[in-house]
Amino acid sequence: MIQDSRREISDALARFATGTPLGTCATALLKTLGYHSDRTLETGSVEEFLNDLDAHEKLTQKQLGMFQPWQAVEIVFQFTGEEINQQQAGLFDINDFDDIQIESFLFLAAELSEGEYSRTQLAETTRAVNRLFNMPVIVVFRYSSYMTLAAIHRRRHKIDTT
């Protein structure tokens, strides 16, 4: 059982190096890890993605610059409480993508241009992405021969220390 899971995870990770579209790779990996949802949204180009989210109003120039290496972006899916426990039908009663749904996570995939990116750069970029959404965003980055899954700790308000 454990060996099967390890093999499935290994196979899902190997897909990232095959030239398979990033969204397909991310969806397969997340499904292998137990995350799946049909709640998704077309993003278009990186520029359209940022414009749709009104990033110029929410991000500093430095934060906007972090999106320069982005070649493509895709919203993989929104994962809500309904997917966590299908037996509790109606927990959130959401059938489509909902950009104000806070009781959820958003999985995003970003293709970066060739190059080296430090852990700090990816963390800062992940923080900038999270400023664009009401819900926590987990980002799958693919660049050069690497795949990185990035998440940050979020709380609703900076003054709310709980």
Side-chain angles (χ1 to χ4, degrees), residues 45-126:
S45 69
V46 174
E47 184 177 306
E48 291 170 327
F49 171 77
L50 292 172
N51 287 336
D52 288 346
L53 296 169
D54 200 17
H56 301 285
E57 296 292 323
K58 298 176 184 169
L59 301 177
T60 65
Q61 285 301 323
K62 179 182 177 189
Q63 290 168 325
L64 281 169
M66 293 175 192
F67 292 90
Q68 285 296 102
W70 287 39
Q71 302 296 307
V73 62
E74 185 173 335
I75 292 177
V76 181
F77 55 75
Q78 180 182 23
F79 190 76
T80 66
E82 190 173 317
E83 284 87 11
I84 292 171
N85 189 347
Q86 292 292 338
Q87 277 92 28
Q88 294 177 337
L91 183 61
F92 296 118
D93 290 328
I94 300 170
N95 296 320
D96 294 318
F97 183 86
D98 182 354
D99 66 347
I100 60 169
Q101 178 66 16
I102 296 175
E103 296 88 2
S104 65
F105 290 92
L106 185 66
F107 289 95
L108 192 75
E111 187 84 48
L112 305 181
S113 57
E114 291 292 319
E116 297 286 324
Y117 299 93
S118 70
R119 181 177 176 206
T120 300
Q121 289 172 303
L122 295 174
E124 288 175 353
T125 302
T126 303

